[in-house]
């Protein structure tokens, strides 16, 4: 290895260079110890750092010292004196433990860090938020790892991150000890005056650190280790099995050209996973692929798929036994992971070979993340014999991250900063209860943090929470509320005890309150006298009066006929479902012949009206002005209308296609499209088919709400769900073809065969069967399965290469708003009902220009190819070129993509269709980009002044070649596009996880509800008071269920939004391919296809505007409530 030119014979410089490049934990520690001995330096803390800086003053070291000096000069550290008298013990040398140790060292504390291992072996790759990239650059990450976040990369392997942070920690004087395990605490012996300090029980016990006394303990030992005194909270979802795998990365040209996968999720891209299953038998929920030291894949696999492929040998109810080594076929697991990796990258990664883990085995792991745990509090104080100990948590033992969200290291760093701030406050003499209260106030924000809701000025981030969390209230929790976190004496606490999540006892008489409310709301109506929940409601007039009192616009009470109760009830059931978002619990026949056993169903049903309308202050005032549906019901209402619109459109398309096929059999292929287009244009003028509005048809096919439509077994009230007039168990609501779980607002129903389907398997016409041999083509430079040249893109779309296929949308599957990427269906939807929801002006929203997504040639075509005018005005064309992946007016922060510049660095002029909020948001996102670009430019300038170390940069030649091929601004656009895809993926995974948690909670409520219902239906040995108490408990469970249904519906609206977002992205990519072609090279088919895609794109934008408007109305309704 060559010596620096200016100091060719200085051995310390050579040792320092070896330290910078060391790639193993023990090698790093060995080089650092050798360096200190060579320089004659001893001690720890910042004194050691200043000694190193004085002794090593050549160019390579100076660049690093300048960065660390700039970091240490921040006012929060008080020139390294803020915690000068504080002694800290940090347990765990993971990224979070090392990061908090660095901050404590900068504060001037003495920091001892323990790690039970002696190597860093985790190849898994972490997604980095913008602030983490900026933070690591400020610590000199590129000095230790030259490839750090080059080009569009925004991730790093765990072991590389640990190596970077370990080197920084050592330079700042942190004492790092490996092969030492923390086993517990030893309270002070109790000397006079409270002298003596807390010590640790260590293994081996002979460690000299056994005598180290400290007053702050920070645990970063992972989710399985939490110090005594902390309580854990568990959230449980449905069974979730993750698989991680790492393959050797040889950094060849072929490997460089393979696009990464920022994340693709089944929830908005069913078709990719269906193709994967058809081709390989592998069934996944999501998959991510990153390139770093290795090719890293992580995916969520379905249990049945693992059983069928022989990965899991036997199905077992206990998760630990299910995934035990004895029950897993290791070879089958390797084959499973390798095949999934090959398929998702189109088999373009040459000679995949597994990387080895620390046991010299193929680095493939299968793990369970069904249950996620978090600590109920972030810190506590223990006092014994007058000596106080501050304990804090960071990393997985504080909040166990949900890996698909990519939040682990980012929130881990935020928690590390928060912990350092807490120690600073502790060292400043702040009263312990105030320190704890402030820490818990900050901790409340951690689980909700994202790049969208933290401060955008990332260059100003520090350990001060106010620089990171906007509008944070540090006094949200009062000192009196955290007294239980101050433990005195020898307190034995079972930290493994889980929180009691059982429902509390219900107070009050909900039954009588509901009856009184119904009586008051129906008073004064002809023929209505409510005295009970049975016979008073059989005529249907009481239900009509109840709705008319609050929504007179929905019911003409004077025209109601008490002699036809079945028809009256059916009309009201339909009205309540379609206009109020209230799901039926009984059939119209059951309500018209109200028997005593059905009383429970009616009470449950009426309680939903009570929840919807009870906010009214006075009935008299309400009757003068129709109430709007409460926010909690708005989502359900919208999904009901959307589903009705979808079914109606599908039926019309089927009828039209059948008539056209019969009338024009000789030229079916040509005339079918014309018939569909005509149907689309005329849809708005057609009245709804009578079959969909005739309430008399439903009773003929529905006999009882007590029997499940699918399995035929008994359906109790709490487990009862309904759709299309059918009643069933929630668990039985599955796709007839594939068995996928269905939810309200995201299903398809075929009236002819009476079956329910997922959007992907809505009965396909001939020629629409899912292909068995076509692979996914992910867009280069990103990987959200957004632009497939084969048919692997998304549900219900067959985007085969070539324009003619784009002109032939399937006649039987127009399902707007349901299928991600259902581009061909969108053009001929004619959703009259959906347009009636919100008649909005055509709002074309902005979209990023993403020219850098195709590193294999699209970039050149983009630069040379000019855009042409189709039939648009220049303003319309400009609007089209700036369509956004998400609307600027969206209310939910994630996953809004960054706003990209069009095709050159200059900023576009403000457009009249963008609101003020959109530009404010754009400025915030640009602030993040500017901070990243500023830190990147500083790195480049420093590297230019230093010169280039050829040995360090040799391995980067291919990556740097790619960077030279594409200018900086184009790489920035690519990075922003990747971030937008990642945001969409993260939001999808957060939604999926919450839906699964809701499903588990539903099951718990159902079990309790079944017990209560059986007790209430048992007429024997029942006291009236006991029965009333059971009824109140049942109503409480119903209220809980209704709340969960509303939350589930809100999430399903977000799912629809994600699907449309993905669909818009795919259409935009197709349209750009046509628009970037020279006009002279376009065929007539190309021009027609271009017009078709444009129409589909505008249709999708309008549908997204409908969703956005709904969210705004819902938000305003909740504010008024």
């Amino acid at each position: 290895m060559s010596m620096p030119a200016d100091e060719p014979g200085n051995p310390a410089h050579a040792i320092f260079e070896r330290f910078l490049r060391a790639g193993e934990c023990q090698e790093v520690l060995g080089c650092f110890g050798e360096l200190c001995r060579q320089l004659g330096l001893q001690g720890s803390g910042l004194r050691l750092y200043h000694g190193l800086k004085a002794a090593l003053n050549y160019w390579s070291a100076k660049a690093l010292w300048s960065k660390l000096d700039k970091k240490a000069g921040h006012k929060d550290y008080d020139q390294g004196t803020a915690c000068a008298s504080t002694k800290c013990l940090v347990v765990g040398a993971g990224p979070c433990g090392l990061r908090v140790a660095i901050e404590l060292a900068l504060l001037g504390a003495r920091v001892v860090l323990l790690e039970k291992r002696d190597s860093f072996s985790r190849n898994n790759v972490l997604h980095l938020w913008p602030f983490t990239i900026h933070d690591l650059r400020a610590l000199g990450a590129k000095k230790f790892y030259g490839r750090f976040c080059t080009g569009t990369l925004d991730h790093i392997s765990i072991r590389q991150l640990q190596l970077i942070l370990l080197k920084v920690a050592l330079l700042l004087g942190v004492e790092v000890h490996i092969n030492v395990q923390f086993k517990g605490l030893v309270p002070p012996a109790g000397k006079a005056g409270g002298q003596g300090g807390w010590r640790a029980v260590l293994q081996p016990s002979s460690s000299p650190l056994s005598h180290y006394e400290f007053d702050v303990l920070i645990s970063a030992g992972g989710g399985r280790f939490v110090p005594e005194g902390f309580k854990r909270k568990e959230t449980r979802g449905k069974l979730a099995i993750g698989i991680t795998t790492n393959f050797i990365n040889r950094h060849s040209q072929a490997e460089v050209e393979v696009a990464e996968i920022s994340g693709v999720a089944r929830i908005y891209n069913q078709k990719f996973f269906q193709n994967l299953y058809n081709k390989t038998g592998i069934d996944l929920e999501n998959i991510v692929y990153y390139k770093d030291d290795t090719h890293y894949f992580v995916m969520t696999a379905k249990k049945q798929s693992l059983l069928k492929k022989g990965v899991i040998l036997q199905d077992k109810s206990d998760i630990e036994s299910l995934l035990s080594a004895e029950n897993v076929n290791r070879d089958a697991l390797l084959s499973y992971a390798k095949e999934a990796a090959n398929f998702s990258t189109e088999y373009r990664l040459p000679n995949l070979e597994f990387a080895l883990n620390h046991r010299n085995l193929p680095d493939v792991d299968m793990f369970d993340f069904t249950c996620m745990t978090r600590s109920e509090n972030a810190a506590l104080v223990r006092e014994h014999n007058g000596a106080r100990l501050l304990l804090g948590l960071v990393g997985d033992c504080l909040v166990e991250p949900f890996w698909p969200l990519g939040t682990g290291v980012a929130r881990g760093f935020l928690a590390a900063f928060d912990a350092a701030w807490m120690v600073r406050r502790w060292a400043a003499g702040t009263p312990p209860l105030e320190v704890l209260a402030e820490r818990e106030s900050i901790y409340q924000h951690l689980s909700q943090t994202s790049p969208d809701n933290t401060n955008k000025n990332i260059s100003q981030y520090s350990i001060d929470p106010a620089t990171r969390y906007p509008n944070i209230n540090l006094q949200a929790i009062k000192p009196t509320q955290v007294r239980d976190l101050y433990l005195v004496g020898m307190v034995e606490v079972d930290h493994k005890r889980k929180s009691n999540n059982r429902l509390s006892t219900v107070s009050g008489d909900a039954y009588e309150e509901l009856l009184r409310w119904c009586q008051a709301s129906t008073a004064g109506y002809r023929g209505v006298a409510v005295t009970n929940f049975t016979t008073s409601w059989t005529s249907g007039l009481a239900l009509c009066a109840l709705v008319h009192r609050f929504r007179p616009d929905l019911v003409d009470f004077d025209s109601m006929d008490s002699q036809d109760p079945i028809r009256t009830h059916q009309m009201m059931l339909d009205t309540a479902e379609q206009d109020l978002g209230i799901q039926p619990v009984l059939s119209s026949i059951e309500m018209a012949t109200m028997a005593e056993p059905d009383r429970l169903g009616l009470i449950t049903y009426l309680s939903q009206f009570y929840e919807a309308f009870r906010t009214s202050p006075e009935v008299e005032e309400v009757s003068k002005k129709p109430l709007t549906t409460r926010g909690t019901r708005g989502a359900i209402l919208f999904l009901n209308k959307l589903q009705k619109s979808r079914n109606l459109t599908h039926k019309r398309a089927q009828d039209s296609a059948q008539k056209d096929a019969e009338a024009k059999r000789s030229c079916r292929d040509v005339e079918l499209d014309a018939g569909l287009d005509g149907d689309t244009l005329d849809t708005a003028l057609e009245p709804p088919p009578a079959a969909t509005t005739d309430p008399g048809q439903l009773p003929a096919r529905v006999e009882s709400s007590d029997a499940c439509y699918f399995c035929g077994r008994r359906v109790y009230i709490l487990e009862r769900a309904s759709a299309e007039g059918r009643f069933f168990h929630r668990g039985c609501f599955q796709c007839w073809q594939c068995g996928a779980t269905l939810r309200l607002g995201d299903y398809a129903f075929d009236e002819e065969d009476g079956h329910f389907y997922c959007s992907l398997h809505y009965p396909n016409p001939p020629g629409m069967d899912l292909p068995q041999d076509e692979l996914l083509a992910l867009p280069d430079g990103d990987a959200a399965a957004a632009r497939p040249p084969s048919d692997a893109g998304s549900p219900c779309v067959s985007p085969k290469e070539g324009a003619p296929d784009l002109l032939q949308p399937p006649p039987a599957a127009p399902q707007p708003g349901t299928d991600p990427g259902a581009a061909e269906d969108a053009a001929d939807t004619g959703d009259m009902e959906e347009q009636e929801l919100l008649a909005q002006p055509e709002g074309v929203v902005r979209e990023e220009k993403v020219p850098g997504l195709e590193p294999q040639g699209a970039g050149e075509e983009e630069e040379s190819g000019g855009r042409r005018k189709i039939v648009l005005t220049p303003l319309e064309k400009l609007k089209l070129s700036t369509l956004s992946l998400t609307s600027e007016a969206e209310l939910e922060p994630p996953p809004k993509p960054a706003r990209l510049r069009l095709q050159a660095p200059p900023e576009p002029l403000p457009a009249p269709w963008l609101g003020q909020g959109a530009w404010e948001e754009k400025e915030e996102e640009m602030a993040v980009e500017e901070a990243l670009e500023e830190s990147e430019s500083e790195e480049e300038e420093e590297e230019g002044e230093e010169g280039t170390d050829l040995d360090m940069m040799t391995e980067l030649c291919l990556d740097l070649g790619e960077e030279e091929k594409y200018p900086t601004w184009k790489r920035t656009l690519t990075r922003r596009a990747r971030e937008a895809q990642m945001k969409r993926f993260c939001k999808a995974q957060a939604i999926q996880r919450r839906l699964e948690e809701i499903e588990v909670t539903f099951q718990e409520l159902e079990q309790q509800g079944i017990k209560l219902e059986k007790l209430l239906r048992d007429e024997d040995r029942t006291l009236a008071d006991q029965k009333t108490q059971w009824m109140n408990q049942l109503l409480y469970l119903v209220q809980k269920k209704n709340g969960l249904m509303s939350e589930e519906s809100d999430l399903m609206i977000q799912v629809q939004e994600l699907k449309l977002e993905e669909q818009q992205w795919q259409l935009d990519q197709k349209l750009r391919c046509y628009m970037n072609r020279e006009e002279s090279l376009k065929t007539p088919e190309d021009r027609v296809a271009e017009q078709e895609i444009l129409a589909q794109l505008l249709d999708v934008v309008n549908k997204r505007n409908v969703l956005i408007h709904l969210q705004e109305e819902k938000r305003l309704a909740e504010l008024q409530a």
Side-chain angles (χ1 to χ4, degrees):
M1 179 170 51
S2 61
M3 296 292 180
D6 55 344
E7 299 283 350
N10 192 326
H13 293 182
I15 298 172
F16 186 69
E17 290 298 319
R18 284 196 289 117
F19 168 75
L20 292 180
R21 303 179 193 182
E24 299 293 337
C25 175
Q26 294 189 64
E27 182 184 2
V28 171
L29 294 173
C31 288
F32 188 75
E34 184 181 353
L35 177 63
C36 291
R37 288 191 296 272
Q38 177 67 35
L39 297 175
L41 297 175
Q42 294 181 349
S44 61
L46 293 179
R47 185 164 57 92
L48 176 63
Y49 168 70
H50 292 305
L52 287 168
K53 189 171 64 169
L56 296 171
N57 57 4
Y58 73 109
W59 63 266
S60 183
K62 282 183 177 180
L64 184 57
W65 305 143
S66 65
K67 279 192 169 293
L68 295 179
D69 285 344
K70 182 178 180 180
K71 178 74 174 177
H74 194 280
K75 60 182 179 65
D76 287 345
Y77 305 122
D78 289 340
Q79 300 298 317
T81 63
C83 299
S85 59
T86 304
K87 296 180 180 180
C88 304
L89 179 68
V90 178
V91 179
C96 297
L98 287 164
R99 191 65 191 85
V100 73
I102 290 171
E103 290 300 324
L104 294 175
L106 289 169
L107 286 165
R110 180 186 176 186
V111 185
V112 174
L113 186 145
L114 306 180
E115 172 55 48
K116 64 181 180 180
R117 302 179 181 87
D118 59 5
S119 63
F120 297 153
S121 57
R122 290 185 287 176
N123 292 313
N124 294 353
V125 179
L126 300 172
H127 172 68
L128 300 178
W129 292 5
F131 95 83
T132 52
I133 296 175
H134 186 275
D135 177 66
L136 291 169
R137 280 180 179 158
L139 293 175
K142 285 185 72 70
K143 308 302 177 186
F144 306 107
Y145 183 50
R147 192 185 291 114
F148 176 74
C149 288
T150 53
T152 62
L153 298 182
D154 57 359
H155 47 263
I156 189 173
S157 69
I158 297 177
R159 63 177 301 274
Q160 282 293 351
L161 180 56
Q162 286 178 283
L163 288 170
I164 291 171
L165 295 174
L166 174 63
K167 294 171 185 178
V168 175
L170 290 172
L171 293 174
L172 292 175
V174 176
E175 303 172 47
V176 179
H177 299 264
I178 59 175
N179 293 317
V180 180
Q181 187 172 4
F182 179 87
K183 305 296 288 185
L185 289 169
V186 178
K191 297 180 180 179
Q195 297 178 357
W198 291 78
R199 292 180 291 112
V201 179
L202 304 177
Q203 187 179 359
S205 58
S206 58
S207 172
L209 292 176
S210 298
H211 303 289
Y212 174 60
E213 295 182 351
F214 49 89
D215 46 19
V216 173
L217 171 66
I218 303 295
S219 174
R224 295 185 178 181
F225 173 76
V226 179
E228 196 171 68
F230 289 92
K231 299 176 183 178
R232 306 289 286 170
K233 183 186 300 182
E234 180 183 277
T235 58
R236 179 178 292 272
K238 297 172 68 176
L239 177 64
I241 300 174
I243 297 176
T244 60
T245 182
N246 287 275
F247 299 97
I248 295 175
N249 188 353
R250 299 177 179 85
H251 303 285
S252 65
Q253 184 64 34
E255 290 172 298
V256 169
E257 291 178 352
V258 178
E260 294 183 324
I261 304 176
S262 297
V264 55
R266 178 185 290 271
I267 198 170
Y268 61 80
N269 200 331
Q270 281 181 281
K271 198 160 194 178
F272 162 56
F273 295 98
Q274 188 65 48
N275 289 338
L276 171 65
Y277 180 76
N278 292 340
K279 176 72 176 179
T280 66
I282 294 173
D283 203 3
L284 302 179
E285 287 289 346
N286 52 48
I287 189 168
V288 173
Y289 161 50
Y290 286 146
K291 279 182 289 191
D292 201 82
D293 287 345
T294 61
H295 296 287
Y296 169 69
F297 292 83
V298 59
M299 61 202 80
T300 302
K302 293 191 175 182
K303 182 180 73 171
Q304 291 303 319
S305 171
L306 294 170
L307 287 167
K308 290 180 180 178
K309 297 287 285 185
V311 177
I312 296 178
L313 301 179
Q314 294 182 354
D315 191 3
K316 299 181 180 181
S317 57
D318 179 62
I319 299 176
E320 187 173 348
S321 300
L322 180 74
L323 301 182
S324 64
E326 299 78 16
N327 198 42
V328 174
N329 184 329
R330 187 73 181 175
D331 292 335
L333 175 60
L334 298 181
S335 175
Y336 191 98
K338 189 171 185 177
E339 186 62 24
N342 271 321
F343 181 90
S344 61
T345 56
E346 294 185 83
Y347 299 86
R348 293 171 58 196
L349 285 174
N351 304 320
L352 279 182
E353 181 180 345
F354 288 103
L356 301 181
N357 59 21
H358 62 285
R359 295 187 295 269
N360 286 324
L361 296 174
D363 194 358
V364 180
D365 187 30
M366 186 162 61
F367 59 97
D368 163 55
F369 60 100
T370 303
C371 300
M372 311 300 296
T373 60
R374 57 173 293 157
S375 177
E376 292 187 357
N377 50 287
L380 57 84
V381 173
R382 293 191 63 180
E383 180 180 335
H384 188 77
N385 289 333
R388 292 172 176 170
L389 175 68
L390 175 64
L391 296 93
L393 304 181
V394 297
D396 289 3
C397 60
L398 179 63
V399 178
E400 200 171 16
F402 181 48
W403 71 260
L405 300 185
T407 58
V409 69
R411 290 178 181 168
F413 276 24
L414 291 173
F417 299 157
D418 297 337
W421 180 258
M422 174 184 68
V423 175
R424 185 184 190 278
R425 297 271 289 159
W426 174 269
T430 306
L433 289 180
E434 291 186 18
V435 172
L436 292 173
E438 183 178 273
R439 179 69 187 96
E440 297 309 311
S441 298
I442 299 169
Y443 180 44
Q444 288 184 327
H445 291 259
L446 187 63
S447 293
Q448 286 75 42
T449 54
S450 71
D452 297 282
N453 58 23
T454 48
N455 281 332
K456 298 301 183 290
N457 192 358
I458 59 177
S459 63
Q460 299 300 315
Y461 277 22
S462 73
I463 60 174
D464 185 349
T467 64
R468 293 174 279 120
Y469 307 114
N471 305 318
I472 187 171
N473 180 10
L474 297 179
Q475 285 80 43
I477 294 179
K478 305 301 180 185
T480 55
Q481 297 175 266
V482 294
R483 292 185 183 277
D484 59 328
L485 300 182
Y486 193 103
L487 309 179
V488 180
M490 298 296 293
V491 181
E492 295 295 332
V493 181
D494 182 11
H495 65 270
K496 295 183 179 180
R497 183 183 66 83
K498 298 177 183 178
S499 300
N500 184 6
N501 292 324
R502 297 185 60 186
L503 295 173
S504 58
T505 304
V506 181
S507 59
D509 194 341
Y511 174 84
E512 291 296 333
E513 183 179 350
L514 178 63
L515 180 60
R516 288 194 296 269
W517 180 80
C518 291
Q519 290 172 335
S521 300
T522 58
Y525 281 87
R526 167 185 54 85
V528 178
V530 175
T531 59
N532 54 39
F533 287 113
T534 52
T535 56
S536 299
W537 302 84
T538 53
S539 68
L541 294 181
L543 187 58
C544 293
L546 185 64
V547 175
H548 184 269
R549 173 58 58 94
F550 298 99
R551 289 294 302 273
D553 56 310
L554 298 180
V555 181
D556 183 3
F557 183 83
D558 294 333
S559 65
M560 293 294 106
D561 184 6
S562 61
Q563 302 303 315
D564 192 355
I566 294 179
R567 183 179 181 85
T568 300
H569 275 295
Q570 188 61 55
M571 290 177 60
M572 297 315 302
L573 288 175
D574 292 342
T575 298
E577 184 174 12
Q578 296 167 13
D579 295 291
L580 300 176
I582 296 177
Q583 299 293 315
V585 178
L586 301 171
S587 68
S588 57
I589 293 179
E590 291 169 322
M591 295 188 70
T593 58
M594 188 64 65
E596 182 65 21
D598 294 324
R599 181 174 67 103
L600 296 179
L602 179 64
I603 292 173
T604 302
Y605 185 57
L606 293 175
S607 69
Q608 298 183 69
F609 289 90
Y610 177 74
E611 289 296 317
F613 295 134
R614 64 175 177 157
T615 55
S616 56
E618 296 182 11
V619 173
E620 289 76 16
E621 292 184 9
V622 172
S623 62
K624 300 177 183 178
K625 182 180 180 181
L627 286 180
T628 57
T629 306
R630 291 186 64 198
T632 54
R633 288 284 160 192
I636 298 177
L637 172 60
F638 179 80
L639 289 179
N640 288 339
K641 291 192 174 184
L642 184 64
Q643 194 67 57
K644 179 182 177 183
S645 168
R646 187 176 298 125
N647 293 343
L648 179 61
T649 302
H650 175 67
K651 187 175 186 306
R652 288 171 175 166
Q654 283 184 316
D655 294 343
S656 178
Q658 183 176 0
K659 292 178 182 179
D660 290 340
E662 294 175 355
K664 306 174 182 180
R665 190 178 303 275
S666 60
C667 53
R668 177 179 53 190
D669 293 339
V670 176
E671 297 297 333
L672 180 58
D673 289 327
L676 285 174
D677 291 339
D679 177 67
T680 302
L681 295 174
D682 296 339
T683 298
L685 303 178
E686 297 178 5
T692 63
T693 58
D694 185 1
Q697 292 188 4
L698 185 58
R701 63 173 185 257
V702 178
E703 296 180 357
S704 174
S705 61
D706 289 338
C708 176
Y709 177 73
F710 298 102
C711 70
R713 295 195 297 269
R714 174 68 179 270
V715 187
Y716 291 92
I717 290 175
L718 259 293
E719 59 182 358
R720 189 175 302 173
S722 66
E724 307 297 329
R726 277 75 173 171
F727 299 91
F728 43 80
H729 301 97
R730 285 178 55 87
C732 294
F733 194 31
Q734 299 177 348
C735 174
W736 175 261
Q737 183 167 335
C738 69
T741 300
L742 302 178
R743 290 185 172 87
L744 297 179
D746 194 21
Y747 68 87
F749 178 69
D750 193 315
E751 291 188 359
E752 294 182 2
D753 61 20
H755 296 321
F756 290 84
Y757 299 89
C758 66
S759 55
L760 184 62
H761 292 120
Y762 209 171
N764 296 314
M768 282 298 293
D769 294 335
L770 292 172
Q772 303 291 324
D773 56 350
E774 295 191 15
L775 306 178
L776 170 72
L778 297 172
D780 297 331
D782 196 295
R787 184 184 43 80
S790 64
D791 80 336
S794 50
C796 296
V797 63
S798 221
K800 298 181 177 62
E801 293 184 339
D805 287 324
L806 299 175
L807 302 177
Q808 298 175 5
Q815 302 168 34
T818 300
D819 307 330
E824 286 73 6
D825 301 323
D828 44 336
T829 53
D831 292 345
M832 181 184 68
E833 291 279 349
E834 191 167 329
Q835 299 303 326
E836 287 176 353
L837 292 177
L838 300 159
Q840 290 201 29
E842 179 177 296
V844 184
V845 289
R846 299 187 62 219
E847 170 162 37
E848 300 75 321
K849 177 79 172 115
V850 191
L853 291 182
E854 290 146 12
Q856 286 78 45
E860 290 83 348
E861 179 185 14
E862 183 168 344
E863 290 185 357
S864 61
R867 296 193 174 191
R868 76 176 186 88
K869 299 176 183 176
I870 306 175
V871 291
L872 304 176
T873 66
L875 178 58
E876 289 171 333
K877 183 175 178 182
L878 177 60
K879 289 182 180 181
L880 178 62
S881 68
T882 55
L883 286 170
S884 91
L885 298 178
T886 79
S887 168
E888 303 285 356
E890 284 182 359
L891 301 176
E892 295 292 332
K896 296 175 183 173
R899 274 60 182 171
L900 304 188
R901 284 165 271 199
L902 293 179
Q903 206 162 350
E907 285 294 312
L909 295 175
W913 62 90
L914 289 177
Q916 179 64 29
W919 284 105
E920 291 175 354
E921 179 184 306
K922 173 180 170 61
E923 291 173 359
E924 290 178 342
E925 297 190 358
M926 288 303 299
V928 175
E929 277 296 332
E930 287 171 3
L932 284 177
E933 291 170 3
E934 179 181 350
S935 63
E936 190 172 6
S937 63
E938 289 177 0
E939 298 266 4
E940 293 173 355
E941 289 175 6
E942 290 171 4
E943 289 173 2
E945 294 172 0
E946 297 166 11
T948 303
D949 187 332
L950 295 179
D951 290 336
M952 179 175 287
M953 301 305 293
T954 298
E955 64 176 0
L956 307 179
C957 59
L958 287 174
D959 293 340
L960 293 181
E962 285 297 311
E963 292 184 28
E964 292 172 3
K965 184 177 179 181
Y966 301 104
T968 301
W969 70 267
K970 189 170 291 189
R971 297 200 310 271
T972 301
L973 296 181
T974 305
R975 180 171 58 199
R976 292 183 182 180
R978 184 198 306 279
E979 290 172 357
Q981 292 286 345
M982 186 64 187
K983 286 181 181 180
R984 181 150 66 250
F985 174 72
C986 289
K987 184 173 183 179
Q989 293 312 296
I991 292 171
Q992 182 68 35
R993 176 69 186 185
R994 182 55 190 153
L995 287 173
E996 292 174 353
E997 292 174 356
I998 288 174
E999 193 64 35
V1000 171
T1001 307
F1002 264 128
Q1003 294 172 4
E1004 295 173 353
L1005 291 178
E1006 289 168 2
Q1007 292 174 2
Q1008 298 180 57
I1010 290 173
K1011 292 179 182 179
L1012 287 172
E1013 186 172 348
K1014 287 180 178 179
L1015 291 172
L1016 286 167
R1017 292 185 184 277
D1018 185 4
E1019 297 297 334
D1020 298 334
R1021 56 180 176 79
T1022 303
L1023 298 176
D1025 292 344
Q1026 182 66 59
K1027 207 164 187 177
T1028 300
Q1029 182 179 354
W1030 289 338
M1031 180 63 71
N1032 291 336
Q1033 291 176 348
L1034 182 65
L1035 287 175
Y1036 178 77
L1037 296 180
V1038 170
Q1039 180 182 356
K1040 288 286 187 181
K1041 176 187 174 182
N1042 293 342
L1044 289 174
M1045 287 183 61
S1046 296
E1047 183 182 358
E1048 184 182 51
S1049 298
D1050 285 333
L1051 293 173
M1052 291 310 300
I1053 288 179
Q1054 295 180 44
V1055 170
Q1056 303 301 326
E1057 188 176 2
L1058 287 176
K1059 289 181 176 181
L1060 289 172
E1061 193 174 311
E1062 179 76 6
Q1063 183 178 340
Q1064 181 178 336
W1065 198 93
Q1066 294 181 18
L1067 288 170
D1068 178 72
Q1069 294 304 302
K1070 294 178 184 179
L1071 186 62
R1072 289 176 191 277
C1073 291
Y1074 286 108
M1075 297 181 71
N1076 286 333
R1077 295 179 188 175
E1078 292 289 347
E1079 184 67 25
S1080 59
L1081 300 178
K1082 294 183 181 179
T1083 65
E1085 291 80 6
D1086 289 340
R1087 295 187 178 92
V1088 175
E1090 188 174 3
Q1091 291 284 357
E1092 181 74 13
I1093 295 173
L1094 176 61
Q1096 295 168 5
L1097 186 57
L1098 294 177
D1099 186 64
V1100 170
V1101 170
N1102 288 334
K1103 286 179 171 58
R1104 293 192 62 198
N1105 285 340
V1106 171
L1107 287 174
I1108 294 165
H1109 190 74
L1110 164 78
Q1111 290 177 323
E1112 178 64 14
E1113 283 192 338
K1114 179 176 177 295
R1115 184 185 68 84
L1116 294 176
E1118 289 174 343
L1119 290 176
Q1120 295 173 358

